[in-house]
Amino acid sequence: MSHVLTTAAELHDALVSGRYADGGPVRVLDVRWRLDRPDGRPAFVAGHIPGARYADLDTQLAEHGDPRAGRHPLPSPGRLQAAVREWGIDDGDTVVVYDEAGNLSSARAWWVLRDAGMTDVRILDGALPAWTEAGFDLAEGEPGAARPGTAMISPGSMPVLDVETVLAHARDGVLLDARAGERFRGETEPVDPRAGHIPGAVSAPTTANLDETGRFRRPDDLRSRFAALGAEPGTAVGVYCGSGVTAAHAAVALVLAGYDPVLYPGSWSQWSQDPGRPAATGA
């Protein structure tokens, strides 16, 4: 993971030349999604980075079916392969992902594509605001269909926890909960069946990994933050959130800080489905 982030200027230069000097031909994915506004396509049509394709988090970066699997299970290989073809991604491409709010949703695409075996996936640091603040233009409208991509995916490159192993990880290592503190403490639960958190987890809201400009904090700042939460060097660090979306954002921050995080994709939305599973509340 020599490259995780890219700047707006670097992306602009790559789009002008057609490729990254230290990578391959560039493909850009717009992954706008919010819990209160899951369909980001209208915002994409209103204005997006030129050449970008819209990636639907709900239908392309997640699977749907048994609610016991959580709200955003990882996409099946067939679903993701179809999406990669639709996005026009070939083997050897450099894929850049972004959204409009600190990359809280586009990090999901980064994680899913990295897990699928794509070796060069980068996040636009500062997200769409960084692009517009740099003075670069936006394109409007719905682009035509891309030439079908030829990249073949092979999921399983990234380590994961499941519902059977996450509690033991919280006991034997460090398990970070990336949700807002009030949800961790069980003071409110607007989406999932029960309030609270997985016993043994530590509250680590992922928004604290960003600075005031919406960019990721410096690696040494992130290391200090995670060390203060108990993640000393060599510690096994797992992360989860509500449904596995912002947990991917926390995983990016952990990678930047020099950790090898393990993601629990089912997250609280899966854990809380079974009333027989324990739940803790409070700080």
Side-chain angles (χ1 to χ4, degrees):
M1 297 193 184
S2 58
H3 301 290
V4 176
L5 304 179
T6 187
T7 67
E10 290 168 344
L11 174 57
H12 181 266
D13 289 348
L15 288 171
V16 169
S17 66
R19 64 184 301 125
Y20 272 86
D22 58 352
V26 61
R27 301 288 182 265
V28 183
L29 299 182
D30 184 311
V31 200
R32 276 181 265 193
W33 176 93
R34 290 188 345 204
L35 190 60
D36 62 338
R37 194 177 65 199
D39 185 4
R41 189 176 291 277
F44 170 82
V45 171
H48 55 269
I49 292 175
R53 296 284 164 179
Y54 179 66
D56 192 307
L57 190 147
D58 276 337
T59 64
Q60 295 177 308
L61 295 169
E63 200 68 26
H64 296 282
D66 190 339
R68 291 175 296 181
R71 286 184 280 114
H72 289 109
L74 296 178
S76 65
R79 182 182 296 269
L80 183 58
Q81 184 66 73
V84 166
R85 286 184 56 79
E86 182 178 324
W87 297 328
I89 298 174
D90 296 332
D91 288 321
D93 285 350
T94 295
V95 182
V96 176
V97 300
Y98 74 92
D99 56 37
E100 62 184 359
N103 291 302
L104 292 173
S105 58
S106 64
R108 167 74 171 213
W110 176 88
W111 193 96
V112 167
L113 293 176
R114 288 286 300 145
D115 180 65
M118 296 189 181
T119 57
D120 193 0
V121 186
R122 311 184 191 192
I123 296 172
L124 175 58
D125 201 18
L128 190 59
W131 178 268
T132 55
E133 288 164 8
F136 300 134
D137 292 335
L138 296 177
E140 298 179 356
E142 187 73 68
R147 173 192 55 78
T150 60
M152 299 298 295
I153 66 162
S154 181
S157 295
M158 301 285 270
V160 296
L161 296 168
D162 60 28
V163 73
E164 303 298 332
T165 59
V166 66
L167 192 61
H169 187 98
R171 180 184 65 244
D172 300 332
V174 173
L175 181 65
L176 302 180
D177 185 317
R179 297 174 298 163
E182 60 269 21
R183 289 183 70 190
F184 174 87
R185 294 188 296 271
E187 296 165 2
T188 183
E189 181 45 66
V191 186
D192 294 315
R194 290 186 290 158
H197 59 266
I198 296 172
V202 178
S203 181
T206 199
T207 50
N209 295 321
L210 300 175
D211 64 19
E212 64 277 2
T213 71
R215 292 168 172 82
F216 281 94
R217 291 165 57 184
R218 293 170 55 88
D220 54 349
D221 291 340
L222 292 171
R223 278 192 295 273
S224 296
R225 180 185 187 224
F226 294 128
L229 294 171
E232 297 292 344
T235 304
V237 184
V239 63
Y240 76 97
C241 61
S243 67
V245 175
T246 55
H249 188 273
V252 171
L254 284 159
V255 168
L256 293 172
Y259 295 85
D260 295 315
V262 185
L263 183 76
Y264 172 31
S267 286
W268 185 249
S269 65
Q270 180 184 42
W271 184 267
S272 61
Q273 290 287 336
D274 185 348
R277 296 189 190 110
T281 57

